[in-house]
């Protein structure tokens, strides 16, 4: 008999194909031989009326869907044959609330757990061991498993785009499959209020809807639907944590009840994204009564100990100008508006604590002093988690760097998410105990359709599920990758439209002079491609060797996975001639002229129709000349010195959108609302001076602009004054 300990199994042998377990167990030992789940095998339990019985029934429901089989279910006392057995008897109490042991041997599979959630996670493991084949061969093995963290969650933003009850239930099923236990339901934001509150009916009559070009857009959940979802989740050991945003991100609520703003409104439910100046008036006692009224109904719907109140991205401009807010600052002896925010959160914290609940807020609630009972969810990096844990507060981690599932895969790859370490090295062992766990955050600004959500959430959430469940030492990207590939077959069978990494272009040309050799590097499968602009399908040509082009051509390529083709990548290779430089009588002045425009846009505006509010010169492009944080656009203009003939690659890295022109040619397009994102574009230049123009806009949140160039045959480097003048 060969027995491998978990670490050896990871290091020296890949597990048998049937064990595509995600997340990987805390400990697993494989043994020689296998048990066949087939005819004559029953599902057994201690009693039909206890958790062993309900878990067996749940597993049968899953097997009916996954493997198209329903096993006979029997009380263990009445069955002597081979079985998949669920029992609490003899379970090790050290497995805790969520742990279980699972043994596969000659007589079948035995799952033992001291608590119902452990039985349930054991059932998920059995389900993954069986997969979609019946009969199924399951290797002899022994698993002892419990999670690393007690908080393993997904945030789903249903404000920006509403998702119906069936979609939410399916999401909960997918969380259960991954042994995740928190559904963080982002029910409230500027663009839509999604929770029926009986004493404030306008929240959903008005705030659940916005006027899009296509008509009235939105939706909400009735209290009956919320109860149904909370119950559905509870049966799967998932706590639904509602998020009711305050004092910011509340424009949908203000559209319904403008009296709780500083200015009195009126407001409409916004259709643009961003951070809005109008927030709840913190100087109006009515605001507190209003939010407490909302929370009272919220508590009645959600048994969760933790209630999330948002607290992020609260501009202070309205409070600075509001007599009521200023009077409150004075009356309470507060130093400034940050302390007013802290005062707001403290009041709500006290109110929740008095009702036996605990407040969770985004890391901005640290500003101006943390409320005594507050748990901090760190999103702007890990600093909030570090500060709060050092102060003895519990924390939940979901930094943008690894856990923001709305970020593109080019920014946050599956491997990047998988590499996330939830416990910051700065914390002592004692402080680290305050890290309750983490989440993946699915914000929805850029994902209108349900399939968009699937593509962004999966497979990154599968990676995060392992981050939050498996011991740090058991995590290995090399071991996870092939397992994930088999796990994706499970997700595909469940209809999940997960992201299939496309092939990538290994060469970065977009323009060429005579010919170009196009090289593709593979995603997880074969590559199919077309040269006529059509989307590749399973029967399109397979990529086998580099493609040589001599005329302008669009290459579209996609990964073939089974019979499915992933999202294609596309690049047009443009045959060009060298652009002629402009001739100056004397060398132009050094640097760039810049102009600033004010307004809020979601793409670069038409600058010809606008009047600049400020102008000047600068050595290089950047946001420092804006002298404001939000709602502006900048245009930089000058000449670029091309030292020799050839193809120049320009890069802009910006938050939000940007673009770059040489003469009248748009060389690169990095437009749209987005976090820091780099894009490149190419142009063929003859040596000499070429007019250059760079534009960017900023609509809210953080701001950034940097520009780089790679000259022909050279290295990429930031542009400098020397590029723009004498
Ligand atoms: C957040 O992403 N504003 C929490
Ligand atoms: Zn006010």
């Amino acid at each position: 008999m060969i027995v491998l300990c978990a670490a050896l199994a990871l290091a020296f042998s890949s597990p048998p194909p049937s064990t595509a377990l995600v997340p990987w167990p805390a400990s697993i030992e494989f043994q020689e031989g296998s048990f066949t789940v087939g005819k004559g095998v029953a599902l057994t339990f201690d009693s039909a009326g206890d958790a062993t019985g309900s878990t067996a029934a749940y597993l049968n429901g899953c097997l009916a869907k996954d493997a198209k089989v329903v096993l006979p279910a029997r009380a263990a006392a009445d069955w002597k044959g081979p079985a998949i057995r669920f029992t609490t008897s003899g379970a090790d109490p050290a497995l805790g609330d969520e742990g279980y042991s699972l043994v596969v041997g000659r007589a079948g599979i035995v799952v033992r757990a001291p608590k119902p959630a452990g039985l349930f996670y054991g059932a998920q493991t059995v389900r993954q061991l069986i997969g979609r084949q019946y009969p199924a061969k399951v290797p002899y093995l022994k698993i002892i498993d419990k999670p690393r963290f007690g908080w393993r969650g997904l945030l789903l933003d249903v404000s920006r785009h509403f998702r119906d009850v069936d979609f939410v239930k399916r999401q909960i099923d997918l969380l259960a499959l991954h042994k995740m236990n928190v559904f963080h339901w982002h029910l409230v934001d500027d663009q839509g209020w999604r929770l029926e509150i009986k004493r404030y009916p306008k929240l959903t009559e008005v705030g659940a809807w916005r006027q899009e070009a296509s008509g009235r857009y939105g939706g909400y959940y009735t209290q009956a639907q919320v109860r149904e979802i909370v119950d559905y989740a509870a049966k799967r050991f998932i706590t639904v944590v509602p998020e009711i945003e305050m004092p910011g991100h509340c424009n949908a609520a203000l559209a319904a009840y403008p009296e709780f703003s500083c200015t009195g409104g009126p407001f409409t439910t916004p259709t643009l994204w961003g951070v809005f100046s109008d927030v709840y008036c913190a100087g109006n006692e009515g605001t507190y009564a209003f939010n407490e009224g909302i929370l009272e109904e919220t508590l009645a719907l959600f048994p969760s100990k933790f209630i999330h109140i948002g607290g992020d991205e609260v501009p202070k401009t309205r409070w600075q100008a509001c007599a009521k807010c200023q009077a409150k600052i004075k009356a309470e002896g507060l130093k400034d508006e940050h302390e007013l925010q802290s005062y707001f959160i403290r009041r709500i914290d006290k109110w929740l604590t008095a009702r036996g609940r605990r407040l969770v807020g985004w890391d901005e609630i640290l500003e101006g002093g943390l409320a005594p009972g507050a748990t901090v969810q760190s999103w702007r990096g890990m600093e909030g988690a570090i500060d709060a844990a050092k102060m003895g507060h519990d924390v939940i981690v979901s930094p943008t760097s690894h856990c923001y599932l709305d970020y593109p895969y080019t920014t946050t790859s599956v491997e990047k998410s998988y590499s996330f370490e939830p416990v910051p090295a700065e914390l002592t062992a004692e402080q680290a105990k305050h890290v309750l766990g983490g989440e993946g955050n699915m914000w929805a600004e850029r994902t209108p359709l349900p399939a968009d959500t699937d593509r962004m959430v999966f497979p990154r959430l599968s990676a995060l599920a392992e981050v939050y469940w498996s011991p740090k030492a058991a995590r290995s990207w090399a071991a996870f990758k092939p397992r994930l590939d088999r796990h994706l077959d499970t997700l595909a069978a469940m209809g999940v439209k997960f992201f299939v990494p496309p092939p990538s272009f290994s060469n970065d040309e977009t323009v060429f002079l005579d010919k170009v050799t196009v090289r593709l590097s593979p995603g997880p499968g074969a590559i199919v491609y077309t040269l006529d602009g059509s989307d590749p399908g399973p029967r399109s040509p397979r990529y086998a060797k580099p493609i040589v082009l001599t005329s302008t051509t669009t290459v579209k390529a996609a990964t073939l996975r089974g019979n499915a083709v992933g999202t294609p990548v596309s690049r047009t290779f443009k045959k060009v001639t060298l652009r002629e430089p402009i001739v100056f009588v004397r060398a132009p002045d050094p640097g760039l002229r810049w102009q600033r425009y004010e307004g809020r846009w979601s793409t670069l505006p038409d600058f010809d129709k606008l009047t600049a509010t400020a102008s000047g010169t600068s050595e290089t492009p950047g946001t420092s000349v804006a002298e404001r944080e939000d709602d502006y656009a900048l245009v930089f203009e000058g000449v670029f010195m091309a030292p020799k003939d050839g193809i120049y690659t320009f890069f802009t890295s910006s938050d939000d959108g940007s673009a770059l022109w040489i003469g009248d040619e748009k060389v690169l397009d990095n437009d749209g609302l987005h976090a820091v994102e780099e894009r490149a574009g190419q142009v063929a230049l003859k040596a000499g001076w070429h007019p250059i123009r760079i534009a960017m806009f900023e609509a809210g949140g953080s701001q950034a602009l940097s520009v780089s160039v790679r000259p022909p045959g050279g290295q990429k480097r930031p542009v400098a004054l020397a590029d723009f003048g004498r």
Side-chain angles (χ1 to χ4, degrees):
M1 186 168 73
I2 302 165
V3 180
L4 294 174
C5 80
L8 283 174
L10 282 171
F12 298 119
S13 79
S14 49
S18 59
T19 54
L21 300 175
V22 175
W24 194 245
S27 136
I28 181 167
E29 292 174 6
F30 292 98
Q31 289 152 359
E32 214 156 84
S34 64
F35 171 74
T36 299
V37 178
K39 209 167 156 50
V41 175
L43 260 175
T44 69
F45 40 77
D46 297 344
S47 156
D50 69 11
T52 62
S54 57
T55 306
Y58 172 84
L59 178 60
N60 240 344
C62 294
L63 294 180
K65 283 192 200 129
D66 299 349
K68 312 282 179 277
V69 65
V70 175
L71 303 181
R74 303 275 184 273
D78 303 337
W79 183 259
K80 295 291 164 265
I84 300 170
R85 181 175 175 206
F86 289 95
T87 182
T88 55
S89 106
D92 182 356
L95 290 167
D97 285 345
E98 297 188 302
Y100 67 96
S101 69
L102 188 158
V103 177
V104 184
R106 286 230 319 268
I109 302 176
V110 182
V111 176
R112 280 198 166 79
K115 291 284 161 42
L119 291 167
F120 183 78
Y121 295 133
Q124 294 298 349
T125 300
V126 173
R127 180 184 175 192
Q128 290 191 10
L129 289 170
I130 292 174
R132 283 162 293 115
Q133 300 289 333
Y134 176 85
K137 256 174 131 169
V138 181
Y140 290 167
L141 52 75
K142 187 174 172 187
I143 287 171
I144 298 172
D145 200 11
K146 63 179 184 180
R148 181 175 175 201
F149 296 102
W151 187 298
R152 307 177 299 279
L154 168 71
L155 172 147
L156 184 68
D157 168 9
V158 292
S159 169
R160 274 57 180 261
H161 295 286
F162 183 66
R163 295 285 184 262
D164 66 17
V165 170
D166 285 344
F167 184 90
V168 171
K169 284 184 175 172
R170 175 175 170 276
Q171 215 62 31
I172 286 169
D173 283 331
L174 289 165
L175 288 179
L177 173 70
H178 291 85
K179 301 187 174 80
M180 299 188 84
N181 65 354
V182 171
F183 176 56
H184 175 167
W185 207 0
H186 188 76
L187 287 160
V188 169
D189 214 304
D190 295 305
Q191 293 80 10
W193 183 283
R194 306 289 174 223
L195 176 63
E196 180 189 27
I197 298 293
K198 298 207 192 267
R199 79 188 76 175
Y200 303 116
K202 281 190 287 183
L203 282 173
T204 43
E205 285 165 14
V206 175
W209 308 97
R210 59 182 192 251
Q211 201 60 41
E212 294 282 359
S214 55
R216 200 171 88 122
Y217 183 86
Y220 67 93
Y221 308 98
T222 65
Q223 294 202 348
Q225 288 173 322
V226 169
R227 287 203 175 86
E228 184 186 329
I229 285 168
V230 168
D231 179 60
Y232 189 86
K235 289 198 167 83
R236 288 154 183 78
F237 299 90
I238 291 168
T239 302
V240 184
V241 176
E243 182 178 349
I244 308 294
E245 280 261 24
M246 61 188 82
H249 282 294
C250 60
N251 274 244
L254 294 181
Y257 296 96
E259 59 268 40
F260 302 122
S261 69
C262 289
T263 65
F267 308 99
T268 51
T269 310
T271 53
L272 287 178
W273 320 122
V275 175
F276 297 92
S277 306
D278 289 293
V279 300
Y280 287 127
C281 177
N284 179 353
E285 279 302 307
T287 296
Y288 298 94
F290 176 65
N291 277 296
E292 287 163 8
I294 291 165
L295 286 174
E296 218 160 86
E297 292 189 30
T298 304
L299 299 196
L301 292 168
F302 296 92
S304 171
K305 178 101 179 159
F306 290 88
I307 303 293
H308 206 303
I309 55 80
D312 58 319
E313 300 180 318
V314 186
K316 307 297 187 290
T317 46
R318 293 290 183 264
W319 292 356
Q320 280 158 1
C322 171
K324 282 187 201 157
C325 286
Q326 292 305 313
K328 181 65 89 184
I329 287 175
K330 212 161 154 207
E332 296 294 333
L334 305 173
K335 198 167 86 222
D336 55 14
E337 290 74 19
H338 291 292
E339 289 200 356
L340 183 58
Q341 150 125 348
S342 169
Y343 167 84
F344 193 115
I345 304 296
R346 278 171 201 267
R347 268 185 77 157
I348 301 296
D349 177 47
K350 200 168 153 192
W351 189 93
L352 284 170
T353 303
R355 284 153 187 82
R357 308 295 182 102
R358 291 180 59 187
L359 176 148
V360 190
W362 299 105
D363 53 48
E364 285 92 332
I365 67 171
L366 281 152
E367 292 162 13
L370 192 52
T375 294
V376 172
Q377 181 162 8
S378 202
W379 72 281
R380 298 173 302 174
M382 294 290 271
E383 287 71 23
I386 295 165
D387 292 348
K390 284 188 172 168
M391 288 158 63
H393 286 253
D394 286 341
V395 301
I396 297 152
V397 291
S398 58
T400 53
S401 56
H402 298 78
C403 305
Y404 267 42
L405 305 178
D406 58 324
Y407 282 26
Y409 281 86
T410 46
T411 310
T412 310
S413 63
V414 182
E415 183 172 4
K416 177 100 187 264
S417 289
Y418 189 81
S419 73
F420 178 47
E421 173 45 43
V423 176
E426 289 86 343
L427 299 184
T428 64
E430 204 48 44
Q431 291 162 345
K433 289 183 186 156
H434 287 295
V435 180
L436 303 181
E439 294 181 0
N441 292 355
M442 184 58 224
W443 300 102
E445 287 93 331
R446 288 171 290 270
T447 43
L449 304 174
D452 297 332
T453 307
D454 271 16
R455 191 181 66 252
M456 300 313 275
V457 171
F458 294 102
R460 285 184 291 201
L461 194 71
S462 305
L464 287 175
E466 187 150 312
V467 168
Y468 299 136
W469 178 281
S470 306
K472 189 177 176 182
R475 262 166 55 203
S476 147
W477 172 249
F480 179 70
K481 227 176 136 204
R483 247 183 318 116
L484 175 64
D485 204 44
R486 295 192 296 274
H487 181 65
L488 290 180
D489 294 338
T490 305
L491 295 181
M494 292 171 78
V496 179
K497 302 268 186 288
F498 53 82
F499 174 72
V500 177
S504 53
F505 291 96
S506 313
N507 50 324
D508 63 8
E509 288 98 332
T510 53
V511 304
F512 63 96
L513 295 168
D514 302 313
K515 65 174 184 178
V516 64
T517 303
V518 178
R519 291 186 173 81
L520 292 161
S521 42
I527 300 173
V528 282
Y529 73 95
T530 63
L531 300 179
D532 61 1
S534 65
D535 281 345
R539 278 183 293 280
S540 297
R542 298 261 187 133
Y543 174 82
K545 62 177 195 326
I547 307 160
V548 178
L549 304 175
T550 53
S551 60
T552 296
T553 305
T554 296
V555 179
K556 282 194 173 181
T559 302
L560 187 62
R561 200 180 176 282
N563 268 328
V565 170
T567 313
V569 281
S570 168
R571 187 181 290 175
T572 298
F573 294 85
K574 217 161 88 184
K575 182 165 177 153
V576 293
T577 50
L578 294 167
R579 281 186 75 93
E580 293 294 331
I582 50 172
V583 179
F584 287 96
V585 177
R586 62 178 180 84
D589 288 339
L592 297 166
R593 293 179 307 284
W594 60 264
Q595 295 196 292
R596 188 182 73 217
Y597 300 84
E598 287 176 64
R600 175 161 286 213
W601 303 282
S602 52
T603 56
L604 283 166
D606 179 356
F607 291 101
D608 291 343
K609 297 205 174 90
L610 300 173
T611 307
T613 56
S615 63
T617 58
S618 67
E619 295 190 356
T620 56
T623 56
S624 61
V625 300
E627 295 182 324
R628 60 215 348 84
E629 300 209 325
D630 294 320
D631 302 339
Y632 68 83
L634 296 172
V635 176
F636 296 86
E637 283 177 298
V639 287
F640 174 78
M641 177 62 194
K644 59 174 174 178
D645 290 3
I647 291 173
Y648 288 76
T649 308
F650 287 94
F651 306 81
T652 67
S653 173
S654 63
D655 173 351
D656 289 282
S658 60
L660 185 148
W661 293 260
I662 295 288
D664 54 3
E665 183 179 342
K666 194 181 210 177
V667 172
L668 90 87
D669 186 349
N670 193 1
D671 204 357
L673 286 172
H674 54 73
V676 179
E677 192 174 324
E678 183 176 87
R679 294 226 185 136
Q682 291 184 317
V683 61
L685 302 178
K686 250 189 196 159
W689 296 108
H690 294 268
I692 187 169
R693 182 161 165 264
I694 300 149
M696 69 86 67
F697 77 97
E698 164 55 30
S702 51
Q703 51 181 337
L705 173 66
S706 60
V707 180
S708 303
V709 63
R710 190 175 62 227
Q715 298 289 319
K716 178 182 172 188
R717 57 167 179 79
V719 293
L721 180 61
D723 294 314
F724 303 122
R726 280 177 291 228

